[in-house]
Amino acid sequence: MSAPDSSPPVAARTDKGVRGHELDLHVTFAQALPREQALAALLALEGMTVELYAPHGQPEAPIPSARLTGPLRDPEATRTALTGLLAADARTIEVGLHGFLRSVTGQTEWMPWRKNTVLPRNRVDGVTFAEGVKFILE
């Protein structure tokens, strides 16, 4: 009897050609933050892949912005985290379910946004997480 297949489902693998939508979030801080403080500010968005944007060639410089990607697990918890970021460290946040195509080699191609919607900072409840719609909270 052979052992059960323990590999993750095809949709979760990056070495197979897949397409879908993933939470894509870009945070611009009100002022550049030290690396540790920027990471601490983003902790409420657990389970996401974080990419800190440091000035080119200066990895220890203060961080002006960051990008987070990953699955949308709990829309209400995500809205709560966005509200906290906007109340504390964030100047603007761009968030939405971004369409992607992942090649058989694992390279990700992001699809263009279908629509941009600008909302005031206090309207996080208006973020619907509709596929292909980017919400800009400023």
Side-chain angles (χ1 to χ4, degrees):
M1 182 171 199
S2 64
D5 184 7
S6 62
S7 62
V10 173
R13 296 178 65 137
T14 59
D15 61 343
K16 300 287 183 188
V18 288
R19 63 180 167 181
H21 288 83
E22 188 170 76
L23 187 64
D24 189 356
L25 197 142
H26 187 272
V27 178
T28 302
F29 297 114
Q31 61 184 11
L33 300 175
R35 182 178 228 62
E36 297 76 26
Q37 191 176 346
L39 287 171
L42 302 170
L43 279 179
L45 294 157
E46 63 183 53
M48 306 282 290
T49 300
V50 177
E51 183 179 355
L52 299 176
Y53 293 144
H56 184 67
Q58 302 174 36
E60 296 306 314
I63 308 298
S65 60
R67 182 178 185 196
L68 295 88
T69 55
L72 175 63
R73 291 189 174 94
D74 181 352
E76 214 40 59
T78 302
R79 284 187 198 94
T80 300
L82 295 176
T83 300
L85 276 170
L86 287 165
D89 298 308
R91 180 173 28 132
T92 61
I93 295 177
E94 298 176 10
V95 60
L97 289 179
H98 206 170
F100 68 88
L101 296 172
R102 197 161 284 135
S103 72
V104 293
T105 61
Q107 183 175 356
T108 301
E109 279 294 320
W110 294 99
M111 300 293 94
W113 292 103
R114 289 184 310 130
K115 180 180 177 184
N116 293 330
T117 301
V118 179
L119 296 172
R121 302 168 64 82
N122 60 352
R123 284 291 324 276
V124 174
D125 60 332
V127 176
T128 62
F129 300 109
E131 292 179 350
V133 179
K134 176 172 61 172
F135 292 88
I136 304 158
L137 297 159
E138 54 181 20

